[in-house]
Amino acid sequence: MLITNVRAHHIRIPYDAGVASFKQGASAISALEIVMVEVSTDAGITGWGDAFAYVCPRTSYAAIEEMIAPQAQGQEVPDAAGIPAFMEQIQRNLHLFGRYGITMFAISALDIALWDLAAKLKGVPLHRLIGEARRTRIPAYASLLRIGKPELIASECETALRQGYKAIKLHETTTPAVYAARQAIGAGIPLMVDLNCPLNGEAAIAFAHSCRDAAPMFLEEPVWPPEDFATLADVRSKGGLNIAAGENACTVHQFRQMLKAGAVSHAQPSVIKVGGITEYLRVVDLADEFGVRLAPHSPYFGPGFLATLQLMSLRDDASFVEVFSMKRAACLWRGRIDVDANGNVEVPQGPGLGYEPDKAIMEQYRVA
């Protein structure tokens, strides 16, 4: 079976996050930018993946069309055992463009699509190619966008709990914000704090000390730059709190540097950034080797979210799947990835990733 076409799709789905906001520089972001890849075969079977594309959809799109498609079109579709070698060769061929960022986002998209194809050929959900499912539903945490005002943070936390969520993550950088959330949700609800890399080591240690009484489960990416693993390890050892990082790391090699430095208690591979399912699985093995917990990064709503559910179903540890707290105008999967009243997301059981995207929604929200 041959790959006959590799096509990128840019989908833009508006959302409403209420009092929260998501900014990149001075620009507010009000829509989910999803860049999907469709891998067609001469057997009529299609695989789906997606590339990280928050504020760079045209760039991720171009990387798939210009770098990935020429590498894959005309090639024999590998089975699950052959995907790592197939993707290794593509990584080698494209290494001159860098092994980080856009190149790896595009590589991730192809890798996910190949795993989708491999599972569809076997007629099984993707997780069955890897191991035995331990969970059929994954608990979700509400990942709140930046709010700022403590009283509004408290209100949004209370709303998330009413919606069924059993854990909360903030994207805040002040201690009043953290304590407002803790007071609103009570002592028994896990609380995570994502800082998005703003601080030097000294300031990060001070912030950790100031938050200790609020008992966050972890501080996420407190240090700039994110690849300064020595400073991150220092914050972990001196700050007295667990540290999570990894959404900005690509390939198992960068995770190995992170874990060898003792930088994190929680590793956060992002399947649409790290290099796809192949690299994600290597990170899982590495994390287990180092005794580091997994907290996958997954605030997206394309095929990568389905892949994350499939991968998380293989483990019975208490990890949560990350879900942005927002009202989306539409869902590519006909609402089947929504969080239920008990705060869980069902793991898809169909062949491959489990669901096929809604073509009508793709066309309605397609960016030309």
Side-chain angles (χ1 to χ4, degrees):
M1 185 170 66
L2 298 179
I3 296 171
T4 55
N5 194 31
V6 176
R7 181 187 178 192
H9 301 268
H10 178 191
I11 312 299
R12 177 182 292 142
I13 298 179
Y15 66 80
D16 179 4
V19 297
S21 66
F22 181 20
K23 289 187 175 181
Q24 187 76 10
S27 300
I29 301 168
S30 58
L32 299 168
E33 305 282 2
I34 303 173
V35 174
M36 301 169 63
V37 64
E38 178 183 10
V39 178
S40 303
T41 68
D42 59 0
I45 303 173
T46 299
W48 296 93
D50 68 322
F52 188 76
Y54 277 4
V55 294
C56 57
R58 295 181 187 87
T59 312
S60 293
Y61 184 101
I64 291 169
E65 294 281 319
E66 295 179 358
M67 290 195 289
I68 296 300
Q71 296 289 326
Q73 285 175 181
Q75 297 255 39
E76 190 79 24
V77 176
D79 60 11
I83 292 173
F86 186 98
M87 295 308 302
E88 171 80 11
Q89 188 58 55
I90 289 181
Q91 286 195 31
R92 286 174 177 266
N93 293 350
L94 298 177
H95 80 275
L96 70 163
F97 300 110
R99 290 174 47 72
Y100 188 82
I102 298 296
T103 305
M104 292 309 301
F105 302 168
I107 284 172
S108 298
L110 176 63
D111 183 89
I112 293 167
L114 292 179
W115 280 94
D116 186 30
L117 278 172
K120 284 174 176 173
L121 282 171
K122 294 288 187 181
V124 298
L126 191 149
H127 66 261
R128 289 275 298 278
L129 296 182
I130 303 166
E132 182 179 350
R134 308 285 184 88
R135 298 187 287 180
T136 59
R137 294 178 182 274
I138 309 298
Y141 69 77
S143 189
L144 306 184
L145 300 182
R146 184 69 56 86
I147 298 170
K149 296 182 179 181
E151 65 275 13
L152 296 179
I153 291 167
S155 176
E156 290 299 297
C157 286
E158 291 164 356
T159 298
L161 294 184
R162 286 195 299 271
Q163 291 170 340
Y165 288 98
K166 298 298 190 294
I168 303 287
K169 186 166 85 175
L170 307 177
H171 288 80
E172 305 289 343
T173 58
T174 68
T175 52
V178 177
Y179 282 96
R182 175 53 74 199
Q183 184 173 3
I185 66 179
I189 299 294
L191 175 66
M192 296 146 276
V193 183
D194 188 350
L195 286 85
N196 293 123
C197 314
L199 304 175
N200 62 27
E202 183 180 355
I205 292 167
F207 184 83
H209 287 161
S210 71
C211 289
R212 286 179 69 175
D213 288 344
M217 189 167 84
F218 58 66
L219 296 185
E220 181 174 338
E221 291 196 321
V223 168
W224 176 262
E227 65 270 25
D228 185 354
F229 302 137
T231 297
L232 201 58
D234 201 39
V235 174
R236 183 186 177 198
S237 65
K238 295 178 181 177
L241 293 177
N242 287 329
I243 298 296
E247 70 172 84
N248 286 306
C250 291
T251 79
V252 70
H253 303 290
Q254 196 166 33
F255 272 92
R256 184 173 290 110
Q257 295 167 359
M258 183 191 305
L259 270 54
K260 278 188 173 181
V264 297
S265 55
H266 294 71
Q268 295 183 293
S270 179
V271 75
I272 66 174
K273 300 172 83 172
V274 72
I277 291 167
T278 300
E279 290 292 334
Y280 182 104
L281 291 171
R282 290 169 175 162
V283 172
V284 168
D285 289 343
L286 186 71
D288 287 344
E289 177 185 335
F290 277 83
V292 168
R293 283 166 280 182
L294 285 170
H297 177 261
S298 61
Y300 30 75
F301 298 95
F305 186 77
L306 302 188
T308 303
L309 292 173
Q310 294 283 342
L311 292 163
M312 293 184 75
S313 75
L314 294 164
R315 301 179 67 90
D316 55 8
D317 48 22
S319 57
F320 297 88
V321 65
E322 181 175 9
V323 177
F324 267 157
S325 180
M326 57 176 57
K327 295 178 181 177
R328 290 163 284 135
C331 176
L332 288 166
W333 318 106
R334 303 179 181 89
R336 289 177 290 185
I337 61 168
D338 291 345
V339 177
D340 67 22
N342 295 312
N344 299 315
V345 183
E346 187 174 357
V347 178
Q349 297 300 318
L353 293 173
Y355 303 137
E356 290 295 298
D358 187 324
K359 295 292 184 65
I361 295 296
M362 286 181 64
E363 291 308 314
Q364 183 178 353
Y365 293 97
R366 179 183 301 280
V367 178

